[in-house]
Amino acid sequence: MTAPRPRTLAELQRWRRTRAKRRWYKRSFRLQVMMLVGLLLAGMLLAQGTYLNHRKAEIITHQMGERALAVAKTVAGMPQIVNAFATPDPSFIIQPLAERVRQETGARYVVVGNAQSIRYSHPVPERIGQPMVGGDNDQALIYGQSYVSEATGTLGTAMRGKTPIWDEEGNIIGVVSVGFMLDRVDMDVARYTSLGWALVALMILLGFAGAYWLSQHLKKIILGLEPYEIARLAMEKEAILQSIHEGILAVNRDGHITLVNQQARRFLELTDEHVLLGQPIREVVPNSRLLEVLKHGEQEFDQEMWLGDHPVVVNRVPILHEGEIEGAVATFRSRREIIDLSQALTQASRDVDMLRAQAHEFSNKLYTISGLLQLQRIEEALALIHQETERAQAQMSFLMRHVADAVLSGTLLGKLTRARELGVALEIDEQSSLSCPLTPTGQEVMMSVVGNLLDNACHAALNGPCGDQPKVRLFFTDLGEQLLIEVEDNGAGVPAEHAEAIFVDGFSTKTGKHRGIGLALVARLCRQHGGAVTLEESELGGACFIAVLDRSLCADPATPSSFSQRRL
């Protein structure tokens, strides 16, 4: 009959506690190890002890028989015993001698009989002259053999040594029987084997103590976890490693791959994990730099590399145990995905800035037009509307004619609006042109380079000499093998002592936090893409920054970039 199922929360908790108490011994790793090792050791010791003690008992029994036989042979060879057989009363001489031998050797009895097995000596004098009991004298009296036998006599069951007595002519004239009682033999065996069993018991106790220590030590090594908990953690870790979006690659101290998750296999275009496990990392990913991490133990973050046909951003860290490097782990994510996300965020930020600037600018224009209409100055209001429309159309027309990439056009249009809001006259040189669309990477690089240079130029122009109209001029071209961007302003310029330092990350002549980033980023992007950025004196009186980039950032004119297609 099955027990009723718990219905309330309290009943359920009691039921679970009861089950836990019943099954704790099945789930305790420490107890299982202790019992397994202890019982195995106890079984081995018991089996060995049983064999050794049994063998020892056999040896002791055999030695007692040999001792009885030796005493019998000694008695049979005594001249007094042999000569006594020729006297009228042999027992008168033999009885005292036999008793003395019995007392000195510790035998239970020393019996001497004639050829008809009639006793001439016995521990019980009343039994002298009676036939010997046991029926095992024929082997000595008839065949003349000396032997050890086990038989039951008048005193009980004994281990007996028997030998014939020979006269001077070589005739068998009698028999000597020396016996040790089996109960005494058993006592001697027990006395000698008890020490062996005591040692076996002691070794079993020590074995269980060692098993307990071993179980404690193993429990400590596995951080106090039970095997089922370790199995669950291993399955959870495997599920986490396979589900995360970053690729993970781990190696041991010898540089052999020990772990690779699903995303890493996708980057390496391999479907079977076991193909990579155990392989040298140098053969699978020659440029992983994990061997350098194993050698120097230094962490590396946000490093760019190619993994197969995929550009990735990699973090590399060593695995340390008690100060020793046991391996290394590399995590990597697709740089294309990062670029797409960055482009989306940059586009959203640019659109927000543009809309905010346009909203601010056009709100002022609307207030002005509203005021003119209220003053009945309709012609002036219409002229202002036409002027603003013509300027916007002129900017759009210029960008559509001279810039083939829609993303860069949007960036420039936003910067023009932002400059007007700040009161800076931003001019784009009429000779500027970009005849080819940009690749996704080229769009990101151009937005960063042009955006940062224009922002710095506008800030410098606004903080230039008093009385001058803030002015910034932009020129760009893709003629030749490189992309050229030139931005100049009429600000105060850059002091000569700062000409090199302004491109260092964190250095800035501006006050406030989060400065010294823009020009350092421009310099780094130019170096990464086959170019450089230089500082010259501007014709406008301020600074002139010239950035050069490799033309590989441009795409095939017949194939617009995917980002441009999405924009269109």
Side-chain angles (χ1 to χ4, degrees), residues 41-52:
L41 185 59
M44 294 175 60
L45 290 173
L46 286 173
Q48 187 177 15
T50 300
Y51 170 76
L52 292 178

Side-chain angles (χ1 to χ4, degrees), residues 376-520:
Q376 301 296 321
R377 307 293 293 271
I378 298 176
E379 293 183 358
E380 288 82 350
L382 291 173
L384 181 61
I385 292 172
H386 290 308
Q387 177 184 353
E388 185 62 27
T389 303
E390 290 176 357
R391 183 174 62 179
Q393 290 294 331
Q395 292 177 348
M396 291 293 296
S397 177
F398 176 83
L399 293 176
M400 291 180 65
R401 290 197 312 270
H402 293 81
V403 180
D405 190 84
V407 174
L408 183 59
S409 297
T411 300
L412 295 176
L413 187 60
K415 293 300 180 182
L416 288 169
T417 304
R418 179 60 177 166
R420 286 200 304 272
E421 181 185 15
L422 295 174
V424 178
L426 174 57
E427 300 177 359
I428 300 178
D429 194 294
E430 294 182 354
Q431 301 299 320
S432 299
S433 65
L434 183 67
S435 58
C436 295
L438 300 171
T439 63
T441 302
Q443 292 172 351
E444 180 186 10
V445 172
M446 285 293 288
M447 285 189 296
S448 297
V449 171
V450 173
N452 280 287
L453 290 179
L454 288 178
D455 289 342
N456 278 283
C458 290
H459 184 274
L462 288 172
N463 293 276
C466 298
D468 293 341
Q469 169 68 27
K471 183 180 296 185
V472 175
R473 182 182 300 162
L474 169 65
F475 171 76
F476 55 88
T477 182
D478 60 347
L479 296 177
E481 298 298 325
Q482 293 176 317
L483 298 177
L484 178 66
I485 302 101
E486 182 178 311
V487 178
E488 53 184 333
D489 59 72
N490 65 342
V494 178
E497 61 272 16
H498 296 160
E500 298 293 335
I502 58 173
F503 298 111
V504 177
D505 195 5
F507 178 85
S508 177
T509 57
K510 307 171 188 177
T511 59
K513 298 181 180 180
H514 308 296
R515 300 293 186 178
I517 299 175
L519 291 178

Side-chain angles (χ1 to χ4, degrees), residues 188-199:
D188 291 340
V189 170
R191 184 172 67 253
Y192 285 109
T193 58
S194 60
L195 178 60
W197 286 117
L199 291 176

